[in-house]
Amino acid sequence: MTSTLTPPYADRAAPRDGGTSRRRIRLLALPEARWATAATVLFLLALPLQLTGAPVRAWGPLYALSYATGGWEPGWEGLKALRDKILDVDLLMVVAALGAAAIGQVMDGALLIVIFATSGALEALATARTADSVRGLLDLAPAMATRLDADGGEQTVAIEELAVGDTIVVRPGERVGADGRVLDGASDVDQATVTGEPLPVAKEKGDEVFAGTLNGTGALRVRVERDASDSVIARIVRMVEEASETKAPTQLFIEKVEQRYSLGMVAATLAVFLVPLAFGAQLIDSLLRAMTFMIVASPCAVVLATMPPLLSAIANAGRHGVLVKSAVVMERLGQVDVVALDKTGTLTEGTPRVTDIRPLTGSGLGEGELLVLAAAAEQPSEHPLARAVVDAARERGLALPVAEDFSSMPGVGVTAAVDGRPVAVGAPARLLAGAPDAGSARAAALAGALEHDGRTVVLVTLDGTPVGVLVIADRLRPDAAATVSSLTSLTGTGPLLLTGDNSRAAARLAAEVGIEDVRAGLLPQDKVSAVRELESAGRKVLVVGDGVNDAPALAAAHTGIAMGRTGSDLAVETADAVIVRDELATVPAVIALSRRARKLVVQNLVIAGAFIAALVVWDLAGHLPLPLGVAGHEGSTVIVGLNGLRLLRETAWAALPTELTA
């Protein structure tokens, strides 16, 4: 362990995963949002005027403007699609809205326009935020680097000017400018942005470093081994963009048949209008019958059969700390049949803590005394391990003496005088090097056994003699094991662990929570490969993660969920859903809720289909009065809407299996 006495110019507030400062796309900055807002405002102005009996000249123009502002864009896009011989459902909805207005149902048509315009605006907002976060990821890599010339002189150059084989200097507190290998120096580097490891990693001659990672207190000379456009950070950006573009198109269940239904409805409406005319029917009668047919056969009830259950489930999940970004995502969550979990920040809390205090036999120290010595020596340090030791002492209410003559040695540890006696805290292998006595041998054996189990161990020496070890680990979330068990029950397959951490730490944690499939030491592209391997076998993969290094896998997976409290901007914006309160048990809960919503969708489709079929047969076989047709159509819409709203009730979440919500 080393101390990171962060220089004043270092990014002290950098998040654990290196996330950029959170950007926010303003909703009204998007043209789709401005048109949708205008349509909604006009509709809300017209509605009370109509309901209070104001003359048509007062509310009619407002409705007309609402139709125009909210419907021109989807209508235009629908016409362009029609040019390519595709009947878009948006165009069909615009036509249905105009048809409703033509037979006097002006308010119903305007409401349909407002709903579709608002949906398009929200989709545009989600797309813009994701794109902005991807661009912001490039801010992780510094714009400039210090390059050494052939004479050993220093030159500040743009990152893009670095070539493979150049040598750069990375000073304490700076971010590494390029992917490369250490030629000289020693330091601890926080590379959570790339690997997700919870603690800085000791780097010395021969070790690989990555662009955008944060250097500790030591200075490093690094030979550039990759061009800036091919760095790991740049590849993360490309993978997220490519995965977002090539991800299979997502559609709601009903949209999968919209083309055939739309074509059939248009053809049938024309037939209902033209066939009677061919046999001598009156124009007005034929037109009225055709308009009635279009109203009763329009897919409004079918669309509502799908949306209310999914939107209600979204609202219910939101009340319990899960932000599901769209109805499509809520539907897809119920299709998941295998879950891939990140380790640091997902199954664990992402913060190192002292888990065990081991005084050595014969040291004469108790646990509290050993912790006081270590915490006093570490108090001036800002290294994550040092903070964990100091926090442990403070949590126990221990008074810490002031340390003097503090110094840190990158890759080794810290030394200080505590109550006038020299204390060292650091890596066992470094502090015990060249110490052959029996006490050192016992300390080395204990530290080795603990490290073999995947734990981080720091040794404490007093007057040059080992007196104990502290065990530091990233604490497991309290609901992790129960979540793994619930996910296994829901999907029929045990979750797998995808982590950039070392294999020993990953295996130990997996054993604690009951995960058998462990894949450790993964870079971001390796996580994507694992996801694609599963999906090529026909699996629908849910990835749960929190870091920049998880973002490509979140984008590539069938569905992605980010841990919101610890998550990077990129992970949060790339994911399909966000766990706002970091309660891991909500993952299986929201999957179960999605499956309930899908069942309600099927129920509603049966109800809507039955109403449409009955009204269509009545109109074709007999004479369905227009008011009765409208009433039947609106009645079916109300029924399926109310049925879908059942998932808004608190009992809908409370009714989930106990082990999913505990």
Side-chain angles (χ1 to χ4, degrees):
M1 183 192 75
T2 64
S3 167
T4 52
L5 284 174
T6 312
Y9 52 83
D11 183 10
R12 290 173 179 254
R16 182 193 58 78
D17 54 19
T20 58
S21 59
R22 191 173 295 274
R23 292 173 169 82
R24 280 290 175 255
I25 300 293
R26 296 181 66 86
L27 182 61
L28 292 181
L30 302 172
E32 297 91 344
R34 292 196 294 271
W35 289 117
T37 300
T40 303
V41 170
L42 290 164
F43 175 82
L44 293 176
L45 290 174
L47 182 61
L49 293 174
Q50 181 189 18
L51 295 179
T52 54
V56 174
R57 66 176 178 274
W59 49 263
L62 294 174
Y63 275 135
L65 289 173
S66 181
Y67 275 76
T69 54
W72 80 268
E73 192 168 36
W76 178 246
E77 292 299 322
L79 289 174
K80 289 196 293 186
L82 193 61
R83 186 177 57 190
D84 297 328
K85 300 180 181 180
I86 298 174
L87 185 57
D88 190 88
V89 71
D90 287 358
L91 179 60
L92 188 62
M93 288 297 98
V94 172
V95 171
L98 294 175
I103 60 174
Q105 304 298 317
V106 179
M107 186 269 288
D108 291 344
L111 179 59
L112 194 59
I113 290 290
V114 167
I115 290 173
F116 268 74
T118 302
S119 174
L122 292 176
E123 182 178 352
L125 176 64
T127 301
R129 282 189 171 178
T130 299
D132 187 69
S133 289
V134 171
R135 290 191 298 269
L137 178 60
L138 293 172
D139 294 343
L140 288 176
M144 310 296 288
T146 303
R147 182 174 63 189
L148 296 179
D149 57 30
D151 299 326
E154 296 185 0
Q155 183 182 12
T156 301
V157 298
I159 295 299
E160 294 76 13
E161 296 181 26
L162 294 177
V164 174
D166 284 350
T167 300
I168 61 174
V169 175
V170 185
R171 292 188 169 85
E174 293 182 345
R175 290 193 178 273
V176 179
D179 287 5
R181 199 163 297 277
V182 177
L183 294 176
D184 187 34
S187 185
D188 282 349
V189 177
D190 181 353
Q191 54 186 32
T193 50
V194 173
T195 66
E197 293 171 287
L199 299 172
V201 178
K203 298 291 184 180
E204 55 187 15
K205 183 177 180 179
D207 290 336
E208 186 177 19
V209 292
F210 304 105
T213 55
L214 184 63
N215 187 27
T217 55
L220 299 174
R221 284 198 302 119
V222 176
R223 182 180 63 244
V224 177
E225 293 190 341
R226 293 191 189 95
D227 185 76
S229 62
D230 195 39
S231 69
V232 172
I233 287 291
R235 279 184 282 169
I236 290 176
V237 173
R238 287 200 299 272
M239 284 188 291
V240 172
E241 291 175 336
E242 291 170 3
S244 299
E245 292 172 0
T246 61
K247 197 171 182 178
T250 57
Q251 292 179 301
L252 293 173
F253 173 78
I254 190 58
E255 291 177 353
K256 296 177 182 178
V257 295
E258 72 178 37
Q259 284 294 305
R260 294 180 182 177
Y261 186 90
S262 301
L263 290 171
M265 177 182 160
V266 171
T269 301
L270 291 174
V272 170
F273 174 61
L274 296 174
V275 171
L277 282 179
F279 286 92
Q282 294 295 318
L283 175 63
I284 297 300
D285 292 341
S286 296
L287 180 60
L288 187 59
R289 183 185 290 269
M291 293 304 297
T292 303
F293 176 85
M294 186 180 73
I295 291 297
V296 300
S298 69
C300 297
V302 177
V303 170
L304 281 178
T306 303
M307 294 304 293
L310 297 174
L311 294 177
S312 298
I314 289 173
N316 202 335
R319 290 202 305 266
H320 292 87
V322 183
L323 172 62
V324 180
K325 295 184 179 180
S326 71
V328 170
V329 173
M330 179 55 75
E331 186 189 45
R332 288 166 67 92
L333 280 167
Q335 302 169 355
V336 167
D337 57 16
V338 63
V339 180
L341 298 166
D342 173 48
K343 173 183 171 288
T344 305
T346 301
L347 286 172
T348 69
E349 295 178 347
T351 304
R353 296 179 182 274
V354 174
T355 61
D356 204 359
I357 304 171
R358 301 278 189 93
L360 291 176
T361 303
S363 66
L365 298 178
E367 290 186 3
E369 294 168 305
L370 177 62
L371 184 58
V372 165
L373 283 177
E378 292 276 28
Q379 195 167 15
S381 172
E382 292 187 6
H383 191 284
L385 292 184
R387 290 197 295 270
V389 173
V390 174
D391 288 345
R394 288 173 176 166
E395 287 171 3
R396 293 185 175 212
L398 301 176
L400 301 182
V402 176
E404 298 175 344
D405 300 327
F406 172 86
S407 67
S408 66
M409 299 165 285
V412 180
V414 302
T415 60
V418 179
D419 291 333
R421 303 177 68 182
V423 175
V425 184
R430 301 295 180 87
L431 293 182
L432 294 174
D437 60 275
S440 297
R442 288 196 301 271
L446 176 59
L450 292 168
E451 289 175 337
H452 182 74
D453 195 29
R455 302 173 190 271
T456 299
V457 179
V458 294
L459 177 71
V460 183
T461 69
L462 179 63
D463 297 324
T465 302
V467 292
V469 297
L470 305 179
V471 180
I472 300 176
D474 187 5
R475 190 162 65 183
L476 191 68
R477 291 187 187 275
D479 52 359
T483 298
V484 169
S485 176
S486 297
L487 289 173
T488 303
S489 300
L490 272 174
T491 64
T493 304
L496 63 153
L497 181 62
L498 302 181
T499 178
D501 211 345
N502 66 79
S503 57
R504 290 182 301 179
R508 179 181 61 81
L509 180 135
E512 289 184 36
V513 299
I515 294 178
E516 297 180 0
D517 190 348
V518 181
R519 308 184 190 188
L522 303 182
L523 291 176
Q525 60 266 31
D526 301 321
K527 292 188 177 185
V528 172
S529 297
V531 170
R532 288 179 174 161
E533 176 188 337
L534 290 167
E535 296 201 331
S536 65
R539 310 303 297 273
K540 291 182 170 59
V541 184
L542 168 65
V543 171
V544 185
D546 74 312
V548 167
N549 61 312
D550 298 315
L554 290 168
H558 176 269
T559 314
I561 295 180
M563 306 297 290
R565 190 169 294 174
T566 59
S568 69
D569 286 1
L570 185 64
V572 169
E573 300 295 354
T574 302
D576 301 300
V578 180
I579 301 176
V580 178
R581 302 172 190 162
D582 276 7
E583 296 172 356
L584 194 60
T586 56
V587 174
V590 77
I591 293 174
L593 184 65
S594 170
R595 293 183 178 181
R596 293 192 64 191
R598 286 165 59 85
K599 290 180 181 178
L600 278 184
V601 167
V602 173
Q603 289 179 15
N604 280 350
L605 289 175
V606 171
I607 294 171
F611 266 87
I612 290 175
L615 293 172
V616 165
V617 169
W618 189 349
D619 186 51
L620 296 179
H623 178 68
L624 175 64
L626 178 59
L628 192 57
V630 172
H633 176 265
E634 297 300 324
S636 65
T637 301
V638 170
I639 290 173
V640 298
L642 291 176
N643 189 45
L645 294 178
R646 288 161 51 196
L647 289 183
L648 279 174
R649 298 176 299 176
E650 183 65 26
T651 53
W653 185 275
L656 297 173
T658 304
E659 67 271 13
L660 300 183
T661 57

